[in-house]
Amino acid sequence: MSDIVAFRQRIMDTIEANVPGIAKVDWYDGLFDEDDVREWGLNTPAVMVAVLTVPNDHHTTGEILADLHCLATVITQDVAEPRDNDLQNWTLMEAIAKLANLNQFGDPNAAAACDVEMKRLRHPELRREGVAIGIVEWRSNLTIGRNRQAERDTFPGAGAMPDRVTARAWLDDAPPESWSDWSGRPDEPPTDVTPIEEDAP
């Protein structure tokens, strides 16, 4: 499965689980017209999630850093009185914005979401029909692809390499205070460093 599609699903699941009062959460491709909004409006309030442009850069590990431009489009309709869709829309947009801010959406390969923005879309015809549209957008950086550095640091059948390789085991710990403390290392006796006494002339 695509990592980006899986991440989009995580966003949808997070919104559905944490923002009350939403009747429908689904995905779309980022483009919509009046007919789409009317169809979505059959079950409101609705939130439609999209991932748009994905500029990317390469990491030294060989992985791709995908900078995801994420959108959550909120559609609300008048319920109790005319134009109360505006209050509904702003309430849901704010809830989603607070939820998205610094959120990794449960993905360990994602950075905290940033650059969260909210905006209402103006559409006179839909407004006359009692429909309000709002958009919450943000950026989420997602690391995808193979980590070639980790592959290089792994011996076939032996697991990952240690952090460091040392000539003597005691180098990984505190060195003995004196050579008399060398108990427990019979496989590698210390070098005799006793000074040689020279005969007096």
Side-chain angles (χ1 to χ4, degrees):
M1 183 177 184
S2 163
D3 292 330
I4 294 175
V5 171
F7 186 72
R8 183 182 65 190
Q9 184 63 49
R10 288 176 179 270
I11 295 174
M12 293 162 53
D13 293 342
T14 301
I15 292 175
E16 190 169 22
N18 293 277
V19 181
I22 297 177
K24 175 183 179 182
V25 179
D26 207 344
W27 67 270
Y28 76 112
D29 59 6
L31 297 175
F32 60 88
D33 57 18
E34 294 89 342
D35 292 335
D36 291 322
V37 174
R38 291 187 179 95
E39 180 181 345
W40 299 340
L42 295 176
N43 193 12
T44 58
V47 177
M48 309 298 291
V49 176
V51 175
L52 299 182
T53 55
V54 187
N56 59 75
D57 197 3
H58 290 276
H59 195 271
T60 55
T61 61
E63 297 164 291
I64 296 175
L65 301 179
D67 191 15
L68 308 182
H69 180 196
C70 305
L71 295 178
T73 300
V74 180
I75 302 97
T76 55
Q77 282 188 309
D78 292 339
V79 178
E81 58 186 33
R83 303 179 68 184
D84 68 356
N85 57 55
D86 182 72
L87 175 59
Q88 296 178 61
N89 208 280
W90 277 112
T91 300
L92 290 176
M93 279 199 295
E94 288 181 26
I96 294 172
K98 293 174 184 176
L99 178 65
N101 187 42
L102 302 180
N103 201 329
Q104 293 178 266
F105 299 98
D107 194 321
N109 295 312
C114 61
D115 298 342
V116 181
E117 296 183 8
M118 296 178 288
K119 58 184 177 183
R120 283 272 276 109
L121 296 186
R122 295 172 293 179
H123 196 291
E125 183 176 348
L126 292 175
R127 185 181 67 242
R128 286 191 289 270
E129 295 179 9
V131 177
I133 305 172
I135 290 180
V136 183
E137 54 187 320
W138 66 89
R139 293 199 298 99
S140 287
N141 193 286
L142 182 67
T143 303
I144 60 177
R146 292 166 50 197
N147 187 331
R148 289 170 173 79
Q149 179 175 328
E151 293 173 0
R152 289 195 302 270
D153 291 347
T154 303
F155 291 115
M161 291 178 64
D163 292 338
R164 52 181 173 170
V165 178
T166 57
R168 292 186 177 92
W170 62 264
L171 291 178
D172 285 332
D173 305 313
E177 295 182 2
S178 68
W179 293 116
S180 63
D181 296 333
W182 194 268
S183 59
R185 301 182 178 88
D187 57 327
E188 190 175 348
T191 303
D192 186 0
V193 293
T194 304
I196 300 175
E197 296 182 1
E198 298 182 0
D199 296 333

